[in-house]
């Protein structure tokens, strides 16, 4: 191995551990010899690093099915269920709690329709529900890594503050959350969380724009599998791209934002407060079909503008995802009609995580921070 002389021995060890952990996390199981060859490290170094992970209960050994005729080698395997994290998504009228292992497999979840209130009691009730879910699944405190909470708005991590037009919050301090939940707490923007989870679970993608379409329209920019936050923590706020000059008034104060034309609130309203009712009635209601066609036109404009600006794939997620599935070819056709360029790669795709994306991503930030592989 060639050592970068600009790095200290301690830094080299940390980097080697990170690479080993990431490789084991991605692979089903490798022998120590395979690990040494793949990472270009000596076998004694691999033995030392593997022992560290074993001491931390992060790996287990499994007999290989293949042998060259001698002793059957052991595979070093990552222990995804050794620890768990909790992801919580907060929205205006709803919250969602998930428990997942380190491979993003959901072990259990709970969701409820509950109006957001800027009161301590709201957070205490949420913590109680989380504790009940942990108890039900016999998750001990020792196995819990922490709680990730996804908010619909920009997060100032250093100041530990969050703002949200949707929730009526401005520079809201969340410094007291760890006392309420009893575990380390990480706060993330909901679209950043969902976008990060999408990229993390798609090994073929390194760069993408994530467009979150729910009762609020948000987004995230992922570059080299890392969330880009921007100088003011507003990177990826695609919901506030202006698509109609002097159009409908937006919560941000401007007019004509994508959010005002593609928020699922529109479909809820035409469905009498229920988006499922909208789609049930749309099958035989010509007026609702016109509403849906107009909605898709505006969505296509938003997606096209993002793709034109960044020239990277756009992933569409959020509440709208399951309802777009049967209409996605129509969306692609509408985008193609207004796209001035011939593209060799697919411009957009649907989320694989649907409504769970933000909660999974919030919990995933806890996992990657714990493992030191971000």
């Amino acid at each position: 191995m060639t050592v970068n002389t600009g790095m200290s021995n301690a830094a080299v060890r940390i980097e080697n551990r990170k690479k080993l952990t990431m490789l084991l996390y991605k692979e089903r199981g490798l022998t120590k010899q395979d690990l040494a060859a793949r990472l270009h490290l000596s076998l004694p170094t691999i033995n030392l690093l593997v022992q560290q992970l074993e001491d931390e209960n992060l790996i287990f050994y499994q007999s290989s099915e293949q042998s060259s005729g001698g002793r059957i080698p052991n595979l070093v395997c990552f222990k995804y269920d050794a620890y768990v994290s909790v992801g919580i998504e907060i929205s205006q009228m709803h919250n969602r709690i998930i428990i997942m292992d380190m491979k993003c497999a959901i072990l259990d979840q709970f969701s409820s329709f509950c109006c957001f209130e800027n009161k301590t009691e709201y957070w205490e009730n949420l913590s109680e529900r989380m504790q009940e879910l942990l108890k039900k699944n016999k998750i001990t405190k020792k196995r819990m890594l922490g709680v990730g909470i996804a908010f619909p708005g920009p997060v100032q991590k250093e100041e530990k503050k969050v703002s949200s037009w949707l929730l009526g919050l401005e520079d809201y301090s969340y410094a007291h959350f760890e006392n309420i939940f009893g575990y380390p707490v990480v706060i993330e923007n909901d679209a950043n969380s969902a976008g990060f989870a999408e990229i993390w679970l798609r090994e073929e993608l390194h760069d993408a724009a994530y467009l979150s379409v729910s009762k609020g329209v948000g987004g995230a920019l992922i570059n080299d599998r890392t969330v880009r936050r921007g100088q003011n923590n507003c990177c990826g706020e695609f919901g506030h791209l202006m698509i109609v000059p002097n159009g409908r008034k937006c919560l941000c104060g401007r007019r004509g934002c994508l959010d005002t034309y593609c928020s699922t609130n529109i479909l809820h309203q035409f469905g009498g407060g229920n988006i499922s009712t909208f789609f049930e009635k749309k099958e035989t209601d010509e007026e609702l079909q016109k509403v849906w066609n107009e909605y898709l036109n505006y969505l296509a404009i938003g997606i096209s503008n993002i793709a034109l600006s960044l020239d990277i794939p756009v992933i569409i997620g959020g509440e709208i995802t399951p309802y777009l599935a049967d209409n996605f070819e129509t969306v692609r056709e509408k985008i193609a009609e207004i796209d001035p360029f011939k593209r060799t790669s697919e411009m957009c795709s649907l989320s694989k995580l649907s409504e769970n994306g933000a909660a999974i991503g919030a919990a995933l930030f806890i996992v990657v921070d714990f493992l030191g592989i971000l």
Side-chain angles (χ1 to χ4, degrees), residues 49-64:
L49 293 171
V50 167
Q51 184 60 54
Q52 289 176 1
L53 296 183
E54 184 179 358
D55 292 342
E56 295 173 28
N57 195 32
L58 287 173
I59 61 167
F60 67 97
Y61 297 97
Q62 181 176 298
S63 295
S64 172

Side-chain angles (χ1 to χ4, degrees), residues 10 15 42 44 63 67 70 88 133 142 174 181 208 214 254 259 267 276 293 309 313 317 343 360 372:
E15 185 64 20
S42 68
S63 295
S67 172
I88 300 176
L133 206 60
K142 188 177 179 180
Y174 58 82
F181 287 92
S214 295
R254 302 199 313 164
D259 187 285
L267 308 179
S276 297
N293 186 60
S309 300
R343 298 178 187 270
I360 290 174

Side-chain angles (χ1 to χ4, degrees), residues 63 107 182 189 193 325:
S63 295
L107 308 180
N189 170 267
S193 297

Side-chain angles (χ1 to χ4, degrees), residues 182-314:
Y183 293 99
V185 174
V186 168
I187 307 295
E188 280 292 345
N189 170 267
D190 55 358
N192 282 348
S193 297
F196 179 62
E198 290 285 346
I199 285 283
W200 190 261
L201 297 173
R202 301 185 191 210
E203 291 188 12
E204 75 282 3
L205 269 185
H206 286 257
D207 306 304
Y210 177 80
L211 180 64
S212 174
V213 183
S214 295
K215 290 187 176 180
V217 178
L221 179 62
I222 317 295
N223 174 241
D224 196 21
R225 302 181 70 80
T226 301
V227 173
R228 298 304 174 192
R229 304 182 187 279
Q231 293 182 349
N232 299 288
N233 297 303
C234 297
C235 187
E237 286 287 354
F238 303 128
H240 300 286
L241 291 174
M242 186 182 293
I243 61 169
V244 180
N246 298 314
R248 299 171 188 164
K249 185 73 176 290
C250 181
L251 286 172
C252 73
R254 302 199 313 164
R255 289 187 175 274
C257 293
L258 181 64
D259 187 285
T260 64
Y261 292 88
C262 291
S263 162
T264 54
N265 272 326
I266 297 165
L267 308 179
H268 278 277
Q269 290 165 9
F270 278 98
N274 190 315
I275 191 171
S276 297
T277 302
F278 171 88
F279 284 97
E280 288 169 7
K281 291 183 176 180
K282 179 180 72 69
E283 297 303 314
T284 56
D285 189 319
E286 290 187 5
E287 286 303 312
L288 292 186
Q289 289 170 12
K290 290 179 182 178
V291 169
W292 178 235
N293 186 60
E294 183 182 69
Y295 180 95
L296 292 182
N297 285 338
Y298 287 125
L299 184 62
I301 291 171
I303 295 169
S304 178
N305 285 346
I306 296 168
L308 282 169
S309 300
L310 302 172
D311 195 23
I312 55 178
V314 179

Side-chain angles (χ1 to χ4, degrees), residues 154-163 171-174:
V155 178
Q156 302 170 51
K157 289 185 171 293
E158 291 184 5
E159 294 84 359
K160 291 194 173 182
K161 291 180 180 179
V162 63
S163 298
D171 290 337
Y172 175 74
S173 174
Y174 58 82

